[in-house]
Amino acid sequence: MTITIADIERVGRDTWSPDEGVEIDGWTVTSNGGFTRRVNSATSCGSPGVSMETRDAVSAWLAARGCPLVVRVTPLLDPAVVDEIIETWGLVAIDPTVVMIHVALEETHDPGVTIVDLLDQNFRDELFSLNARPDAARDQWTGIITRMSDRGLGLWVPGKAVGIVAVDEPIAAVYSVAVDPQARRQGWGTRIMEAAANAAIGRGAHTLFLQALATNHAAVSLYERLGFVEGYRYHYLVRGS
């Protein structure tokens, strides 16, 4: 089975999911009150509307939820549309992000990582802490994880490292990998990723993906060493300063 960009995007929407969404002139606009751009933005496939009326409607819907105008641009969006909204909507590109994919997963030795329920409160507290999320985002963060709990597992080395793997067979996604600063350069990030692959295989997935900022060269290099390759890139468009 060939995995497409559309497949990866679908799993991303289904696992890292918003509180609510609406369709506006060909745009899918979503929000969870402001936590992460991915779920507080407009995105589309093909050629959605690009009029100023569409921009204002998208902007107003997001603003009503405390969010600025953000457009998420993937390779599924017509490049001509991207050029037009940059010019007519007055937006600029930020945060180029690499979606990295590992196909034909193979199970590895026991990496020494505990697999826990995503609703485990001690795990969630450490997940929140090691990812250095602001206190104001806790409710939105909790909502995403709770919605993911039926298909997700926590990856945990108490006091050292955390991560999440969410499976939507035959694809699995990895989120929120973090290592305590005092435990870095000890291989815990690699072990979390090995545990993610093992868990994905155990739930019937053969493809694993994650995302990293293109400027985070250390993370990208680590994932490449683990067998991930660049699948595609996306970025955001926001109002210029």
Side-chain angles (χ1 to χ4, degrees):
M1 175 183 176
T2 300
I3 301 298
T4 67
I5 293 175
D7 293 329
I8 298 294
E9 287 290 299
R10 174 187 56 78
V11 175
R13 288 191 303 271
D14 290 347
T15 54
W16 196 262
S17 62
D19 290 338
E20 57 180 327
V22 67
E23 297 294 322
I24 300 177
D25 198 12
W27 294 97
T28 298
V29 193
T30 60
S31 176
N32 75 337
F35 176 68
T36 80
R37 286 194 179 96
R38 185 182 180 103
V39 290
N40 293 274
S41 60
T43 192
S44 183
C45 302
S47 301
V50 294
S51 69
M52 294 300 289
E53 290 79 8
T54 296
R55 184 202 69 174
D56 291 346
V58 170
S59 182
W61 191 90
L62 288 168
R65 289 149 183 82
C67 305
L69 175 60
V70 178
V71 175
R72 182 168 172 268
V73 176
T74 76
L76 300 177
L77 185 59
D78 186 337
V81 170
V82 179
D83 292 340
E84 187 166 358
I85 61 176
I86 286 174
E87 181 175 353
T88 62
W89 291 15
L91 305 182
V92 297
I94 63 169
D95 289 353
T97 302
V98 184
V99 177
M100 305 190 73
I101 301 172
H102 196 317
V103 299
L105 295 174
E106 295 183 0
E107 194 165 8
T108 62
H109 65 282
D110 179 4
V113 174
T114 301
I115 306 299
V116 299
D117 191 300
L118 284 181
L119 300 182
D120 182 296
Q121 190 60 56
N122 291 327
F123 165 75
R124 288 164 70 165
D125 286 346
E126 190 152 72
L127 182 76
F128 191 86
S129 174
L130 290 185
N131 277 274
R133 298 302 189 183
D135 288 342
R138 184 176 287 272
D139 287 346
Q140 293 93 334
W141 167 275
T142 299
I144 290 174
I145 293 173
T146 300
R147 287 189 294 274
M148 196 192 301
S149 61
D150 64 335
R151 68 188 77 193
L153 295 168
L155 312 170
W156 192 18
V157 183
K160 297 183 183 296
V162 291
I164 294 172
V165 59
V167 180
D168 194 339
E169 189 181 345
I171 301 171
V174 179
Y175 298 113
S176 307
V177 175
V179 179
D180 184 274
Q182 300 302 314
R184 290 176 184 167
R185 300 186 183 280
Q186 297 175 24
W188 291 114
T190 296
R191 294 184 190 186
I192 288 287
M193 296 305 301
E194 290 174 345
N198 289 349
I201 292 169
R203 290 199 167 192
H206 61 64
T207 297
L208 192 63
F209 79 90
L210 53 82
Q211 60 186 33
L213 284 173
T215 53
N216 189 346
H217 303 297
V220 171
S221 294
L222 168 63
Y223 299 137
E224 288 175 341
R225 290 197 299 272
L226 294 175
F228 287 80
V229 297
E230 181 174 327
Y232 62 98
R233 295 189 176 206
Y234 69 83
H235 63 276
Y236 297 96
L237 300 177
V238 300
R239 295 185 192 273
S241 57

